[in-house]
Amino acid sequence: MSKYVALPAGVSEKVFDTALAEYRAILGPDHVITAAERLVPYNKIMLPVDDERHAPSAAICPGSVEEVQRCVAVCNKHKVPVWPISTGKNFGYGSAAPATRGQVVMDLRRMNRILDVDADLCTALVEPGVTYQQMYDHLQDNKIPLWLSCPAPSAIVGPLGNTVDRGVGYTPYGEHFMFQCGMEVVLPDASLLRTGMGSLPNSNTWQVFKWGYGPYLDGIFTQSNYGIVTKMGLWLMPAPPDFRPFVIRYDDEADIVTAVETLRPLRMANIIPNAVVIVHALWEAGSAYARSDHFTGPGAFTDDAVRTMVKKTGMGVWNLYAGLYGSPEQNDVAWKIVQGAVKASGKGRILTAAEVGEDPVFKYRADLMQGRMNTKEFGLYNWRGGGGSCWFAPVSQARGSETLKQMEMAKRILNRHGIDYVAEFIVGWRDMHHVIDLLFDRTDFNQTRAAHACYRELLQEFAAQGYGVYRANTAFMDEVADCYGDAKRKINATLKRALDPNGIIAPGKSGIWATV
Ligand code: ADP
């Protein structure tokens, strides 16, 4: 039996001993972790598969770019696969655990410097371990009037990890990768690349112009395994003089058609500039109530129970959150337009901070829309209890009929497996991310098995209708890659072989392997 929790695939214990000794020589013994109890945080996956499948063999924690490069050289020499994480949360997508058993986690949390914030140009340059909380505090402490855009559990995650996995937020800068500008990447051969204008020695335009010269490369370092990102530039939003959050509550499930058709033109014309979110009652309830307060029957939460719950609580079956950002005069005009459109649609109750500002769920959404810290979304994990969460997040057109069709498909499949439809739509520029949290009790074998079968069925039925997910968890990466077809898999693998012939960086990420 091996003295290690796991071994990297194809690496003998003897070779692994040597690699670990070399990491220790570079990082110092404290920053090379192999003890089972210290590896536990790197193997808490929440997914409906065995932890064993994703158990790392070790974790290494470099403190500088040079240390990352030297560790990557060791990985290459001994063909040890390495899985980089930044803040390592990624709950419901795989947390910090690698795609396959035995990879060494490279934990970049020690590299947590905010290298630059330019208050005039509204740009920042950060290292992987920087959290949104840290950035928020930095802006507050230095009285810099800039806003962040964060994903929902913002305080403990960071901009680099979220952006390279193409996560989204809720402000006008909510499509995070769109507002990213410039990267520094350690390539698999341990060399260093700065993308965009950063390739020029002494450039001062790295964080202000995205494209540089020649092929635009930043995209290939997102949701991929072609390099380890060690610095990232991003744009921050100037704090508007006036911010007016509001919610529109809709009473019927089919009202989502009206909601989207009414609000899309306003979003496209930038009258509503932020990533509007349309939240289903069961997601709202997850942040405010216990499931047993409103449903105790077997199987999935029924439509009847949803209707009773919304009547009792006053929430909508759909709850659309959006905000106005600008000067008070601009917002007065925009507010008239929004109110007029909602009134003309004949549906929806529109409420402002003056009316529901004390409601904790409204407060939480208003915080998200102005990039303020919170961790309230974690309340969802108590909904079913037992720690299981697995996101299924297909992209849909921002078209009412499409969202209704996706909702009906998803609900039918979920309910067949006894899983609640806990979902929201996040409106992008032309698309919507239909984000569904498959919540289940991981300590219950049947629920876990059901969640696994359910995700598979969702993936296949949605793909059959031409829908794909925007992001995938580590348990299903190959299956998701299959949905996107052979040509895409082939070019991904060709790039992988060219850049990383030994396949040492995050093998299996997004279904990309050096060997096919
Ligand atoms: P968060 O804590 O914000 O959810 P993570 O640090 O867990 O983000 O990163 C999400 C995913 O992005 C990781 O699982 C990994 O696949 C990828 N990733 C994170 N950091 C890097 C990096 N520095 N370079 C390349 N890929 C990364």
Side-chain angles (χ1 to χ4, degrees), residues 31-58:
H31 301 306
V32 179
I33 299 165
T34 54
E37 64 282 4
R38 286 186 67 202
L39 285 178
V40 170
Y42 298 105
N43 194 23
K44 285 197 163 149
I45 51 173
M46 306 178 92
L47 301 176
V49 288
D50 261 0
D51 293 352
E52 291 290 296
R53 240 177 82 171
H54 298 276
S57 53

Side-chain angles (χ1 to χ4, degrees), residues 83-91 93-97 108 128 132 151 156-165 185 221 223-225 227-230 471 474 477 505-506 509:
W83 179 266
I85 58 162
S86 288
T87 39
K89 296 300 178 282
N90 221 14
F91 295 129
Y93 285 115
S95 304
L108 298 165
Y132 285 108
I156 54 175
V157 308
L160 196 149
N162 186 269
T163 305
V164 296
D165 221 30
V185 189
F221 298 109
Q223 291 193 0
S224 79
N225 49 17
I228 298 174
V229 182
T230 46
R471 185 176 181 187
T474 48
M477 285 182 165
I505 296 192
K509 174 79 186 176

Side-chain angles (χ1 to χ4, degrees), residues 117-169:
V117 173
D118 188 311
D120 300 322
L121 295 168
C122 308
T123 61
L125 181 68
V126 296
E127 290 190 327
V130 170
T131 62
Y132 285 108
Q133 180 77 56
Q134 194 184 336
M135 286 200 79
Y136 185 80
D137 292 345
H138 178 87
L139 296 174
Q140 297 288 310
D141 293 349
N142 294 288
K143 300 195 172 21
I144 302 172
L146 296 176
W147 282 9
L148 301 165
S149 172
C150 334
S154 49
I156 54 175
V157 308
L160 196 149
N162 186 269
T163 305
V164 296
D165 221 30
R166 296 209 294 266
V168 293

